[in-house]
Short mmCIF file of all heavy atoms in Angstrom, two decimals:
data_model
loop_
_atom_site.label_atom_id
_atom_site.label_comp_id
_atom_site.label_asym_id
_atom_site.label_seq_id
_atom_site.Cartn_x
_atom_site.Cartn_y
_atom_site.Cartn_z
N LEU A 70 -3.23 12.91 3.84
CA LEU A 70 -3.57 13.49 2.57
C LEU A 70 -3.34 14.95 2.52
O LEU A 70 -2.79 15.54 1.52
CB LEU A 70 -5.02 13.14 2.15
CG LEU A 70 -5.29 11.77 1.70
CD1 LEU A 70 -6.87 11.53 1.69
CD2 LEU A 70 -4.69 11.59 0.35
N ARG A 71 -3.66 15.67 3.63
CA ARG A 71 -3.38 17.13 3.67
C ARG A 71 -1.88 17.38 3.57
O ARG A 71 -1.40 18.30 2.81
CB ARG A 71 -3.91 17.71 4.99
CG ARG A 71 -5.35 17.90 5.00
CD ARG A 71 -5.82 18.54 6.26
NE ARG A 71 -7.28 18.68 6.25
CZ ARG A 71 -8.03 18.46 7.35
NH1 ARG A 71 -7.49 18.22 8.49
NH2 ARG A 71 -9.32 18.57 7.20
N GLN A 72 -1.09 16.58 4.19
CA GLN A 72 0.40 16.70 4.10
C GLN A 72 0.89 16.41 2.76
O GLN A 72 1.71 17.24 2.14
CB GLN A 72 1.05 15.75 5.11
CG GLN A 72 0.90 16.13 6.57
CD GLN A 72 1.35 15.04 7.51
OE1 GLN A 72 1.65 13.91 7.09
NE2 GLN A 72 1.44 15.38 8.77
N LEU A 73 0.33 15.40 2.05
CA LEU A 73 0.78 15.09 0.76
C LEU A 73 0.32 16.13 -0.28
O LEU A 73 1.07 16.45 -1.22
CB LEU A 73 0.21 13.69 0.35
CG LEU A 73 0.82 12.55 1.08
CD1 LEU A 73 0.03 11.22 0.84
CD2 LEU A 73 2.26 12.33 0.62
N VAL A 74 -0.82 16.75 -0.11
CA VAL A 74 -1.27 17.82 -0.96
C VAL A 74 -0.36 19.06 -0.73
O VAL A 74 0.04 19.65 -1.74
CB VAL A 74 -2.76 18.14 -0.70
CG1 VAL A 74 -3.18 19.41 -1.39
CG2 VAL A 74 -3.66 17.01 -1.16
N ASP A 75 -0.08 19.36 0.47
CA ASP A 75 0.74 20.52 0.83
C ASP A 75 2.16 20.34 0.19
O ASP A 75 2.80 21.34 -0.23
CB ASP A 75 0.90 20.73 2.33
CG ASP A 75 -0.41 21.26 2.87
OD1 ASP A 75 -1.35 21.76 2.15
OD2 ASP A 75 -0.50 21.20 4.18
N ARG A 76 2.63 19.14 0.15
CA ARG A 76 3.99 18.88 -0.37
C ARG A 76 4.02 18.70 -1.89
O ARG A 76 5.04 18.45 -2.49
CB ARG A 76 4.58 17.69 0.32
CG ARG A 76 4.88 17.94 1.74
CD ARG A 76 5.29 16.73 2.51
NE ARG A 76 5.63 17.00 3.87
CZ ARG A 76 5.57 16.18 4.86
NH1 ARG A 76 5.15 14.97 4.67
NH2 ARG A 76 5.94 16.54 6.08
N GLY A 77 2.83 18.71 -2.51
CA GLY A 77 2.78 18.57 -3.96
C GLY A 77 2.88 17.20 -4.52
O GLY A 77 3.01 16.97 -5.70
N LEU A 78 2.67 16.19 -3.61
CA LEU A 78 2.68 14.77 -4.02
C LEU A 78 1.33 14.23 -4.46
O LEU A 78 1.28 13.26 -5.24
CB LEU A 78 3.21 13.88 -2.89
CG LEU A 78 4.67 14.14 -2.47
CD1 LEU A 78 4.97 13.74 -1.10
CD2 LEU A 78 5.62 13.46 -3.49
N VAL A 79 0.27 14.93 -4.02
CA VAL A 79 -1.11 14.49 -4.33
C VAL A 79 -1.91 15.75 -4.66
O VAL A 79 -1.71 16.76 -4.12
CB VAL A 79 -1.73 13.77 -3.15
CG1 VAL A 79 -3.17 13.51 -3.25
CG2 VAL A 79 -1.00 12.43 -2.90
N LYS A 80 -2.87 15.51 -5.58
CA LYS A 80 -3.80 16.58 -5.94
C LYS A 80 -5.20 16.27 -5.45
O LYS A 80 -5.63 15.11 -5.64
CB LYS A 80 -3.83 16.69 -7.48
CG LYS A 80 -4.73 17.84 -8.01
CD LYS A 80 -4.62 17.94 -9.56
CE LYS A 80 -5.53 16.93 -10.20
NZ LYS A 80 -5.64 17.05 -11.64
N ARG A 81 -5.82 17.21 -4.86
CA ARG A 81 -7.14 17.06 -4.37
C ARG A 81 -8.13 17.77 -5.34
O ARG A 81 -7.95 18.89 -5.73
CB ARG A 81 -7.27 17.71 -2.98
CG ARG A 81 -8.64 17.63 -2.32
CD ARG A 81 -8.57 18.37 -0.94
NE ARG A 81 -9.80 18.18 -0.21
CZ ARG A 81 -10.83 18.98 -0.24
NH1 ARG A 81 -10.85 20.08 -0.98
NH2 ARG A 81 -11.90 18.73 0.48
N GLN A 82 -9.22 17.09 -5.67
CA GLN A 82 -10.25 17.68 -6.53
C GLN A 82 -11.59 17.43 -5.98
O GLN A 82 -12.02 16.36 -5.68
CB GLN A 82 -10.15 17.10 -7.91
CG GLN A 82 -11.14 17.71 -8.91
CD GLN A 82 -10.94 17.21 -10.33
OE1 GLN A 82 -10.21 16.21 -10.60
NE2 GLN A 82 -11.70 17.75 -11.25
N VAL A 83 -12.37 18.57 -5.82
CA VAL A 83 -13.77 18.51 -5.37
C VAL A 83 -14.63 18.28 -6.59
O VAL A 83 -14.55 19.07 -7.51
CB VAL A 83 -14.19 19.83 -4.62
CG1 VAL A 83 -15.60 19.77 -4.22
CG2 VAL A 83 -13.22 20.01 -3.45
N LEU A 84 -15.46 17.28 -6.54
CA LEU A 84 -16.37 16.96 -7.64
C LEU A 84 -17.71 17.58 -7.39
O LEU A 84 -18.27 17.51 -6.26
CB LEU A 84 -16.47 15.46 -7.78
CG LEU A 84 -15.23 14.68 -8.02
CD1 LEU A 84 -15.54 13.15 -8.10
CD2 LEU A 84 -14.55 15.07 -9.29
N GLU A 85 -18.27 18.17 -8.36
CA GLU A 85 -19.58 18.85 -8.26
C GLU A 85 -20.68 17.81 -8.45
O GLU A 85 -21.44 17.85 -9.40
CB GLU A 85 -19.69 19.98 -9.32
CG GLU A 85 -18.67 21.09 -9.14
CD GLU A 85 -18.78 21.77 -7.83
OE1 GLU A 85 -19.89 21.94 -7.25
OE2 GLU A 85 -17.73 22.19 -7.29
N THR A 86 -20.77 16.90 -7.51
CA THR A 86 -21.78 15.86 -7.51
C THR A 86 -22.75 16.17 -6.36
O THR A 86 -22.53 17.02 -5.52
CB THR A 86 -21.17 14.49 -7.34
OG1 THR A 86 -20.43 14.47 -6.15
CG2 THR A 86 -20.26 14.11 -8.52
N SER A 87 -23.81 15.42 -6.32
CA SER A 87 -24.73 15.54 -5.20
C SER A 87 -24.86 14.15 -4.51
O SER A 87 -25.33 13.27 -5.15
CB SER A 87 -26.11 15.99 -5.68
OG SER A 87 -27.00 16.12 -4.64
N PRO A 88 -24.36 14.02 -3.37
CA PRO A 88 -23.58 14.99 -2.55
C PRO A 88 -22.23 15.24 -3.12
O PRO A 88 -21.70 14.37 -3.89
CB PRO A 88 -23.54 14.32 -1.14
CG PRO A 88 -23.63 12.88 -1.46
CD PRO A 88 -24.42 12.71 -2.64
N VAL A 89 -21.62 16.30 -2.68
CA VAL A 89 -20.28 16.65 -3.13
C VAL A 89 -19.27 15.58 -2.69
O VAL A 89 -19.37 15.06 -1.57
CB VAL A 89 -19.86 18.02 -2.61
CG1 VAL A 89 -18.39 18.32 -2.87
CG2 VAL A 89 -20.75 19.15 -3.20
N SER A 90 -18.35 15.20 -3.57
CA SER A 90 -17.34 14.25 -3.19
C SER A 90 -16.00 14.71 -3.62
O SER A 90 -15.88 15.67 -4.40
CB SER A 90 -17.63 12.80 -3.77
OG SER A 90 -17.69 12.90 -5.19
N VAL A 91 -14.96 14.10 -3.05
CA VAL A 91 -13.58 14.52 -3.30
C VAL A 91 -12.81 13.33 -3.79
O VAL A 91 -12.96 12.25 -3.30
CB VAL A 91 -12.96 15.11 -2.00
CG1 VAL A 91 -11.54 15.48 -2.19
CG2 VAL A 91 -13.76 16.26 -1.44
N THR A 92 -11.95 13.64 -4.81
CA THR A 92 -10.97 12.60 -5.24
C THR A 92 -9.61 13.05 -4.96
O THR A 92 -9.29 14.27 -4.91
CB THR A 92 -11.11 12.22 -6.73
OG1 THR A 92 -10.87 13.42 -7.52
CG2 THR A 92 -12.54 11.71 -7.05
N TYR A 93 -8.68 12.11 -4.90
CA TYR A 93 -7.30 12.40 -4.73
C TYR A 93 -6.55 11.63 -5.79
O TYR A 93 -6.88 10.51 -6.19
CB TYR A 93 -6.82 11.90 -3.34
CG TYR A 93 -7.43 12.75 -2.21
CD1 TYR A 93 -8.63 12.41 -1.68
CD2 TYR A 93 -6.85 13.87 -1.82
CE1 TYR A 93 -9.23 13.17 -0.68
CE2 TYR A 93 -7.41 14.68 -0.81
CZ TYR A 93 -8.59 14.28 -0.26
OH TYR A 93 -9.11 15.08 0.68
N GLU A 94 -5.50 12.31 -6.35
CA GLU A 94 -4.69 11.75 -7.45
C GLU A 94 -3.27 12.07 -7.20
O GLU A 94 -2.92 13.15 -6.81
CB GLU A 94 -5.23 12.38 -8.79
CG GLU A 94 -4.58 11.83 -9.94
CD GLU A 94 -5.15 12.38 -11.28
OE1 GLU A 94 -6.01 13.30 -11.21
OE2 GLU A 94 -4.71 11.94 -12.36
N ILE A 95 -2.44 11.04 -7.48
CA ILE A 95 -1.00 11.31 -7.35
C ILE A 95 -0.50 12.19 -8.41
O ILE A 95 -0.98 12.14 -9.60
CB ILE A 95 -0.25 9.93 -7.34
CG1 ILE A 95 1.18 10.08 -6.81
CG2 ILE A 95 -0.29 9.31 -8.70
CD1 ILE A 95 1.90 8.75 -6.55
N THR A 96 0.40 13.12 -8.05
CA THR A 96 0.97 14.04 -9.09
C THR A 96 2.17 13.43 -9.75
O THR A 96 2.63 12.33 -9.33
CB THR A 96 1.41 15.39 -8.40
OG1 THR A 96 2.45 15.04 -7.47
CG2 THR A 96 0.24 16.03 -7.72
N ASP A 97 2.67 14.06 -10.75
CA ASP A 97 3.91 13.64 -11.44
C ASP A 97 5.04 13.57 -10.43
O ASP A 97 5.86 12.62 -10.39
CB ASP A 97 4.28 14.44 -12.64
CG ASP A 97 3.30 14.32 -13.80
OD1 ASP A 97 2.64 13.34 -13.87
OD2 ASP A 97 3.29 15.26 -14.64
N PHE A 98 5.13 14.55 -9.58
CA PHE A 98 6.15 14.54 -8.49
C PHE A 98 5.94 13.37 -7.54
O PHE A 98 6.88 12.64 -7.19
CB PHE A 98 6.13 15.88 -7.73
CG PHE A 98 7.09 15.93 -6.56
CD1 PHE A 98 8.43 15.66 -6.74
CD2 PHE A 98 6.63 16.29 -5.31
CE1 PHE A 98 9.35 15.68 -5.68
CE2 PHE A 98 7.53 16.32 -4.19
CZ PHE A 98 8.83 16.02 -4.45
#
Side-chain angles (χ1 to χ4, degrees):
L70 283 167
R71 284 183 183 142
Q72 292 170 348
L73 290 167
V74 168
D75 288 347
R76 292 175 175 151
L78 294 157
V79 170
K80 180 177 85 173
R81 179 181 188 268
Q82 182 176 6
V83 178
L84 302 176
E85 299 298 328
T86 57
S87 181
V89 173
S90 61
V91 177
T92 62
Y93 293 89
E94 183 175 6
I95 194 168
T96 64
D97 288 341
F98 177 53

